[in-house]
Amino acid sequence: MDRETDDVLDAVGPRLRALRRARGITLADLATLTGVSESTLSRLESGQRRATLELLLPLARTYDIPLDDLVGAPRTGDPRIHLKPIRRFGMIFVPLSRRPGGMQAFKMIIPGRPEPLEPTPQTHDGFEWLYVLNGRLRLVLGERDLTLPPGEAAEFDTSLPHWLGSADGGVVELLILFGPQGMRAHVRADQPENR
């Protein structure tokens, strides 16, 4: 092995110990969560045992962090995140999260139009939380027709018919958190009255 690999592996034990302590987990608790014996975990943290993929994978799953972050592997390649926009329903969605399942985050851009679109409310499973960054958002939610300026937020069950568009024909940019049925964002915002 080369010196850089040795340095990375030598730093794994102290990193694992610091991570466990920061999370307030005992060796016994960690052994129960990972299925790795307490003595093996202790030797791994003290540097008496070399890290192997077989030992690191259950630790990465338990701590819910990527394996590279767990071992402190040096970054390689281009560090920039290249987000791939998705075009649907005449709008642009830029995914901001990469975890499958659970809460998903998007930046949504509603292009400007000389003539406003006629609302076509849709329904689907889940909950949505949105925050208006720029522009004026028209949110049709059931029987309500709301206008949200920059800085306002809304949260709703997506099984209620809803539609998002521009209130004045200009471009609208917003952040959206979408969760599956039963998963709601922790941020609560009163729905503003129609303006």
Side-chain angles (χ1 to χ4, degrees):
M1 269 187 247
D2 63 16
R3 186 70 228 148
E4 186 177 354
T5 302
D6 283 340
D7 289 345
V8 168
L9 290 174
D10 289 344
V12 170
R15 181 175 288 104
L16 291 173
R17 176 175 285 134
L19 183 58
R20 179 179 57 78
R21 288 179 176 168
R23 303 264 176 117
I25 301 173
T26 66
L27 278 172
D29 291 338
L30 189 57
T32 301
L33 292 168
T34 61
V36 177
S37 75
E38 193 174 334
S39 64
T40 299
L41 291 169
S42 176
R43 290 194 328 265
L44 188 59
E45 286 185 1
S46 68
Q48 296 172 1
R49 175 144 186 188
R50 274 286 213 212
T52 65
L53 194 55
E54 183 178 56
L55 295 173
L56 293 174
L57 284 175
L59 288 167
R61 273 193 296 271
T62 299
Y63 291 132
D64 193 26
I65 60 174
L67 194 57
D68 284 352
D69 291 349
L70 184 66
V71 299
R75 299 283 178 219
T76 58
D78 189 345
R80 294 174 294 175
I81 297 172
H82 300 281
L83 304 172
K84 294 185 181 177
I86 302 164
R87 296 178 189 278
R88 293 182 71 193
F89 314 113
M91 296 176 264
I92 301 165
F93 296 84
V94 181
L96 302 176
S97 59
R98 295 183 176 185
R99 289 182 72 177
M103 194 67 68
Q104 299 293 315
F106 297 90
K107 178 177 181 185
M108 180 177 164
I109 302 167
I110 302 170
R113 298 180 173 277
E115 293 292 323
L117 291 175
E118 190 61 34
T120 53
Q122 304 291 320
T123 64
H124 51 88
D125 287 339
F127 282 92
E128 194 165 301
W129 178 89
L130 58 85
Y131 178 84
V132 181
L133 296 168
N134 291 304
R136 295 175 51 81
L137 175 69
R138 181 178 179 196
L139 171 61
V140 176
L141 187 58
E143 298 297 318
R144 300 182 76 175
D145 194 336
L146 309 165
T147 298
L148 283 72
E152 285 202 341
E155 179 184 43
F156 53 92
D157 182 333
T158 57
S159 65
L160 188 62
H162 60 282
W163 179 85
L164 306 173
S166 174
D168 56 14
V171 175
V172 182
E173 296 180 28
L174 53 150
L175 293 178
I176 293 181
L177 297 180
F178 175 77
Q181 192 64 33
M183 180 177 275
R184 301 181 76 147
H186 293 286
V187 175
R188 297 277 182 223
D190 292 333
Q191 290 183 349
E193 293 299 320
N194 194 9
R195 296 174 191 234

